[in-house]
Amino acid sequence: MIAALRRHEAPMASFAFESPRKPILKIEGVNKTFQNQHVLQDLNLEIAEGEFLTLLGPSGCGKTTTLNMVAGFLQPDSGNLFLRGLSANTLPPQKRRLGMVFQSWALFPHMSVFDNVAYGLRMRGFPGSEIPTRVTAMLEMVRLSSARDKFPSQLSGGMQQRVALARALVTEPDLLLLDEPLSNLDAALRKDMQVEIKRIHERLKVTTLLVTHSQEEALVMSDRIAVMRGGRIERIASPHAIYTDPHTAFVCTFVGDANVFDATIESISGSTAVLRVGSQRILAPRAPRADGRGSVQIAIRPENVAISRVGNVKGDNVLEGTVEDTIFKGNNITYEVDVAGHKLHVLDLPKVGQDLYRRKDHVSLAFSRESVIILDGERSA
Ligand code: ATP
């Protein structure tokens, strides 16, 4: 039965760098202004068929405005929007073949789970004989078969969320829009639902556009992430590429923790750039961004720095410093270490019996040259 719902049986493609398949959605040079506020600025975006793409960014960067434009609730001031290659700037929402799940889920309280899911099919004039088969298969997909006769008030938050998802998916939309769908769930349930949505996406391969300000959600669920800032996309790439090569300090710190420093280039030798941060010499990989410029920004992720007692530590980069603060979180501990006036955060995963460091301890910090991320210059938001 579930097989009947699988529309795209093609093997999972890798979305490592660029979207390889034909676009379901294309946004071309779109601008939107609200009361003199330029909310979307020359926005360009493509989502390939079957892809799960996330718009990630801080509050007010234009994520929901973009989603509302794709849904047809707003029109661009200029630029173009294409759905399956056809101009959709003025296409009414109901003709866009979209499924939508919002923050509030918006279930009908007086309808059973079955009828909530069946509603979209009835509205779209699906033959009555097909409806039970489709709804049953979709409830099986979201693991709600046993709750089909319950009402929303009798369900947990996670179950209601799955009903909303089933209702959006049952009509087999060309594009599924998810607007912060997990933000009403508590932290544990949110993690479960991230995995659940990813599982469903892998089964059905429905092209999906998610809006969130949660970097964890974006990293867990997406094929590609578009990090937005000030109405523009600052970086679009796979979760791994975004995390390991974020390009800008903004993206770097938005998708994780990072120590960001201004550095000057002392010399380039083979594949290594020799940098200086204050009085410290840092070896970094030679990158196009570090070529021919006097100064760069660099980032070092806290988990890439090893901490130990001062002594026989070897490595590309070994710095000495003093522990200023410790933050214990059970399975990990963050040290704030002062290195010649620069603060460095170090993330350690201590094993049972391992020494913990305390304030004022003198320590060595070591990190490889490959772990030094060279960033582009900053633009103002
Ligand atoms: P959040 O995560 O808080 O929802 P967002 O990234 O989704 O933020 P948008 O909702 O797209 O941001 O809003 C972008 C900017 O546009 C904000 O400054 C917002 O106040 C403004 N804005 C959005 N809709 C309207 C509107 N209808 N009228 C006036 N200003 C608006």
Side-chain angles (χ1 to χ4, degrees):
M1 187 58 63
I2 286 169
L5 293 165
R6 267 191 230 133
R7 306 171 63 223
H8 310 293
E9 292 289 350
M12 263 291 272
S14 159
F15 292 106
F17 296 105
E18 293 301 326
S19 59
R21 294 187 245 167
K22 67 176 177 183
I24 288 287
L25 169 72
K26 187 170 180 185
I27 296 175
E28 210 174 60
V30 159
N31 287 281
K32 185 73 190 173
T33 301
F34 290 121
Q35 292 137 14
N36 298 328
Q37 188 190 354
H38 204 165
V39 171
L40 297 182
Q41 305 192 36
D42 191 26
L43 191 78
N44 293 286
L45 181 70
E46 275 188 28
I47 307 183
E49 186 161 15
E51 188 177 18
F52 194 123
L53 190 135
T54 297
L55 296 179
L56 174 70
S59 189
C61 70
K63 306 180 295 292
T64 303
T65 303
T66 306
L67 200 81
N68 285 339
M69 211 166 278
V70 174
F73 303 144
L74 287 174
Q75 285 186 11
D77 296 339
S78 62
N80 289 301
L81 199 121
F82 299 93
L83 287 166
R84 285 201 178 276
L86 300 173
S87 175
N89 278 17
T90 55
L91 195 66
Q94 66 277 15
K95 295 205 168 154
R96 294 187 179 211
R97 295 190 45 82
L98 304 173
M100 292 181 226
V101 179
F102 300 104
Q103 204 168 336
S104 63
W105 311 325
L107 300 180
F108 301 114
H110 59 287
M111 285 187 195
S112 68
V113 165
F114 183 95
D115 286 333
N116 262 284
V117 176
Y119 180 82
L121 293 173
R122 293 194 174 113
M123 290 302 288
R124 284 173 204 211
F126 274 70
S129 56
E130 268 189 33
I131 291 176
T133 316
R134 285 176 177 270
V135 174
T136 303
M138 190 44 75
L139 289 179
E140 198 181 312
M141 170 65 67
V142 299
R143 304 187 218 227
L144 278 178
S145 301
S146 59
R148 56 183 282 144
D149 297 323
K150 293 200 164 147
F151 289 87
S153 62
Q154 298 172 296
L155 305 177
S156 69
M159 290 165 94
Q160 291 184 46
Q161 212 280 338
R162 282 184 278 151
V163 177
L165 198 58
R167 190 177 59 183
L169 285 170
V170 76
T171 57
E172 300 190 359
D174 281 350
L175 179 61
L176 176 67
L177 304 180
L178 305 175
D179 188 4
E180 302 265 7
L182 307 184
S183 55
N184 282 345
L185 301 175
D186 66 46
L189 206 47
R190 209 175 310 154
K191 282 186 196 298
D192 290 348
M193 281 309 298
Q194 288 167 12
V195 176
E196 184 75 7
I197 291 176
K198 190 173 170 63
R199 179 188 69 83
I200 291 169
H201 178 257
E202 279 168 9
R203 296 283 300 272
L204 296 180
K205 300 280 191 291
V206 178
T207 313
T208 304
L209 177 60
L210 166 73
V211 158
T212 182
H213 58 263
S214 156
Q215 46 108 347
E216 182 188 291
E217 257 170 57
L219 290 171
V220 169
M221 295 198 276
S222 319
D223 293 314
R224 286 190 305 155
I225 301 171
V227 180
M228 288 187 74
R229 181 190 189 193
R232 292 197 181 120
I233 292 173
E234 182 141 325
R235 175 102 170 93
I236 180 164
S238 70
H240 184 262
I242 290 255
Y243 192 80
T244 55
D245 187 17
H247 287 192
T248 68
F250 174 80
V251 174
C252 186
T253 51
F254 201 80
V255 297
D257 294 327
N259 299 290
V260 177
F261 301 110
D262 291 324
T264 50
I265 300 170
E266 272 195 356
S267 61
I268 304 277
S269 164
S271 59
T272 301
V274 182
L275 312 176
R276 187 158 287 281
V277 177
S279 58
Q280 306 295 319
R281 209 172 74 117
I282 307 265
L283 300 184
R286 178 182 190 162
R289 280 170 231 134
D291 265 3
R293 290 168 54 183
S295 60
V296 285
Q297 269 193 321
I298 60 167
I300 303 152
R301 298 269 184 215
E303 69 272 22
N304 289 330
V305 183
I307 185 167
S308 55
R309 302 247 169 243
V310 174
N312 263 347
V313 183
K314 291 199 171 65
D316 295 335
N317 296 297
V318 179
L319 311 175
E320 287 187 15
T322 308
V323 175
E324 292 217 320
D325 210 352
T326 66
I327 303 160
F328 179 69
K329 291 189 195 159
N331 67 346
N332 70 68
I333 184 161
T334 298
Y335 296 103
E336 186 179 299
V337 181
D338 181 279
V339 178
H342 293 282
K343 300 270 179 288
L344 233 116
H345 284 106
V346 179
L347 182 74
D348 198 23
L349 303 174
K351 303 284 178 292
V352 174
Q354 183 182 322
D355 274 357
L356 300 183
Y357 302 96
R358 287 185 294 210
R359 285 189 68 218
K360 299 206 181 347
D361 277 354
H362 214 60
V363 291
S364 285
L365 304 181
F367 49 94
S368 68
R369 76 187 71 189
E370 293 76 27
S371 67
V372 178
I373 302 166
I374 311 278
L375 300 168
D376 290 334
E378 277 292 87
R379 71 169 175 86
S380 49

